Amino acid sequence: KLFIMLIFYLMLMLSTLIAMSSHSWMIIWMMLEINLMSFISIITLPKMTNNQYNYLFKYFIIQTISSSSFLISITMLWVNNYISYNIFNTNFMEIMISMAMILKMGLYPFHLWYIEIMSNLPWMNFFLLSTWQKIIPLTIISYFNENIIIYFTVIVSSLISSIQGMYQNNLRKIFTFSSINQTSWMTINSSLSMYLMMFYMFMYMMILFCIIYMFNINNLSYIYELYLLNNYNYLMKLFLFLNILSLAGLPPFMGFMSKIISIKFLIFNKLYLITSTLIISSMMTLFFYLRLTYTSMILISLKLKNNLMKIHLKNFFYKMYFLNKLNYLMFSITTISYIILIMSTMLDLY
């Protein structure tokens, strides 16, 4: 089973890398399908309930519709290239492809399926769907000029995700809306520069992995369960909070550097409305990121803490073995992010 899992992970990575380096629309479409099949196989390998299979089927249907729209659009572009006169409007084809990629990533107005499916995924699959599965669609968007559909989607997605995330108590839903907000940043970055999008994605993956891995080990699902962190190592808590604040884009963390570089690119391209909208949405998302950090810092009564500990007492000692290793992992990734922050600041000043 482990060997089969490794094969599917290898296919997942290779399909993304081949799609990024390819110049053929048909190969990109094939890699999209291989990527989809690999991810579905990774999800189905562990034991699943009937309810989870229903969500998986919904995910498959949505991705199939998106891929079919993309295939029809590139076929029309191919017909235009091989005929002396344009049968189909090229701008319309670009908008069709952009809409297909927006559907695939779960941005507004096609975000409802994304929220529903992400709320029922295990944490590590949640991480994959939030980050790696969006690289190919973002790469495809980078091949086209900016259009009104992309601008509208980025503005509305960033605002809706930040507003809806403010009153959530479920951690998966909070980070789902956070993912939609971060994808809005990466979408507009990809329309400006593919390298800027890859830099932002790399930073986002590094920061998010520390947080998601922590939640996965402790099997956390709600904000009130973060009270249990009062019983853990203070160094580990510190690294977790630093990464959450970095994800929020507070200076002087790494997340702030990726956002400030994006803002400089947006202002350079005179996209002032999108810049101001993304800044406002980031300030609103900061509210629910701070909720996560404050929750564990607040001193609570011993009675409540004991009641919460009874829920997780069975797995507590087993988890502590992994938490010791997690200290080193979070320390390493946080240190790397600070080194990159210092280097990028020096290069910017230079």
Side-chain angles (χ1 to χ4, degrees), residues 13 28 30 61 87 104 108 111 120-121 133 158 163 189 192 202 220 232 244 262 266 270 304-305 319 324 341:
M13 290 187 288
I28 292 174
M30 290 168 61
I61 293 295
I87 299 177
K104 190 173 279 289
Y108 182 87
H111 64 294
N120 292 275
L121 280 179
Q133 292 303 102
S158 60
I163 292 169
N189 285 348
L192 298 175
F202 177 68
L220 301 177
Y232 295 157
I244 290 175
S262 302
L266 288 167
K270 299 181 180 178
L304 178 57
K305 190 183 291 187
K319 289 172 185 173
N324 289 330
L341 173 63

Side-chain angles (χ1 to χ4, degrees), residues 271-305:
L271 300 173
Y272 303 118
L273 177 61
I274 295 178
T275 306
S276 57
T277 306
L278 288 173
I279 292 170
I280 291 168
S281 68
S282 293
M283 292 176 67
M284 293 163 70
T285 55
L286 179 62
F287 173 77
F288 57 79
Y289 286 128
L290 289 177
R291 280 179 69 199
L292 299 177
T293 56
Y294 286 162
T295 300
S296 185
M297 291 179 182
I298 296 170
L299 294 175
I300 57 173
S301 65
L302 185 61
K303 183 178 179 181
L304 178 57
K305 190 183 291 187

Side-chain angles (χ1 to χ4, degrees), residues 156-171:
V156 180
S157 296
S158 60
L159 289 175
I160 286 181
S161 60
S162 57
I163 292 169
Q164 287 189 316
M166 292 174 74
Y167 56 84
Q168 300 295 332
N169 288 319
N170 188 309
L171 289 174

Side-chain angles (χ1 to χ4, degrees), residues 175 207 210-211 214-215 220 223 225-250 253 286 288-298 330 334 338:
F175 280 91
I207 297 165
C210 287
I211 301 168
M214 172 75 182
F215 292 163
L220 301 177
I223 287 182
E225 292 177 341
L226 288 174
Y227 283 124
L228 293 170
L229 293 177
N230 286 318
N231 300 280
Y232 295 157
N233 194 323
Y234 285 101
L235 187 63
M236 188 193 64
K237 268 200 331 184
L238 175 65
F239 288 142
L240 175 65
F241 297 154
L242 288 179
N243 280 289
I244 290 175
L245 294 176
S246 180
L247 196 61
L250 278 181
F253 302 110
L286 179 62
F288 57 79
Y289 286 128
L290 289 177
R291 280 179 69 199
L292 299 177
T293 56
Y294 286 162
T295 300
S296 185
M297 291 179 182
I298 296 170
M330 295 182 74
T334 308
Y338 276 113

Side-chain angles (χ1 to χ4, degrees), residues 73 76-77 88-98:
S73 302
M76 291 177 177
L77 286 174
F88 308 105
N89 189 340
T90 306
N91 291 331
F92 177 71
M93 293 301 100
E94 290 183 6
I95 289 173
M96 280 269 296
I97 294 173
S98 299

Side-chain angles (χ1 to χ4, degrees), residues 327-342:
N327 277 336
Y328 298 109
L329 176 68
M330 295 182 74
F331 175 75
S332 303
I333 294 179
T334 308
T335 305
I336 291 170
S337 68
Y338 276 113
I339 291 170
I340 295 172
L341 173 63
I342 294 166

